Amino acid sequence: MRLLELAKAEKDKRLVVLPDAKYTDSDGEEALRNAMWTCWNTNNPVTRYTADAIAEKLFREATSESQPLTLDELREMDGEPVYMVDLTGGTLWNQWIIFEKSTDYGFIPMGGGWFDAENYGKTWLTYRRKPEEES
């Protein structure tokens, strides 16, 4: 039944299979160009939605890469890796880390320890991606 439903959706031009991959900047820009060309060539709600979704994803990734996470964003990332940066001048914490639990007061990383939320932005920060080295 599911295959019949998918076949009908494809016949009605309501089916789009998106690639299961993370885009690099150049891949994402190429995907957006392709989606825009397809949208121009076969203008329908599905191709417009696809182009909008790719553009939104690229914009979100581009703006979030260089910005540190807010405390609220970090709290939502329990169990997901984040890149932690030591702001005290050391390099001890400049590494990928996974917080298994967060509270209003701080964060508990896998393996134990404690990072105080009050010091976030003062002695440590986290990013979705490792920040590029400044030259």
Side-chain angles (χ1 to χ4, degrees):
M1 291 303 292
R2 179 75 174 140
L3 290 175
L4 290 173
E5 183 181 340
L6 290 171
K8 182 172 178 2
E10 183 175 25
K11 182 180 177 188
D12 295 342
K13 301 197 185 293
R14 295 181 294 118
L15 178 68
V16 173
V17 178
L18 299 176
D20 183 21
K22 294 194 183 229
Y23 293 119
T24 64
D25 287 343
S26 61
D27 291 339
E29 290 166 10
E30 182 64 25
L32 181 57
R33 273 194 295 279
N34 288 339
M36 295 305 292
W37 182 86
T38 302
C39 190
W40 176 79
N41 204 25
T42 57
N43 191 3
N44 65 50
V46 173
T47 56
R48 286 193 303 272
Y49 174 82
T50 302
D52 287 347
I54 292 170
E56 182 181 338
K57 182 178 187 314
L58 290 172
F59 176 76
R60 190 172 48 249
E61 286 180 354
T63 56
S64 68
E65 281 182 33
S66 59
Q67 299 296 319
L69 294 168
T70 65
L71 277 173
D72 289 337
E73 290 170 331
L74 181 57
R75 285 187 178 101
E76 292 174 7
M77 297 192 67
D78 280 354
E80 295 182 46
V82 293
Y83 195 81
M84 185 176 203
V85 176
D86 182 351
L87 300 177
T88 64
T91 58
L92 178 64
W93 303 332
N94 294 351
Q95 63 183 345
W96 288 100
I97 191 166
I98 297 176
F99 291 109
E100 60 184 354
K101 183 167 174 139
S102 63
T103 70
D104 289 340
Y105 304 104
F107 301 85
I108 301 170
M110 286 185 147
W114 175 259
F115 289 92
D116 197 334
E118 186 176 300
N119 291 324
Y120 189 75
K122 298 174 187 170
T123 61
W124 63 285
L125 278 174
T126 57
Y127 295 81
R128 290 183 200 283
R129 295 193 172 153
K130 182 177 179 180
E132 291 185 22
E133 299 291 326
E134 295 190 22
S135 43

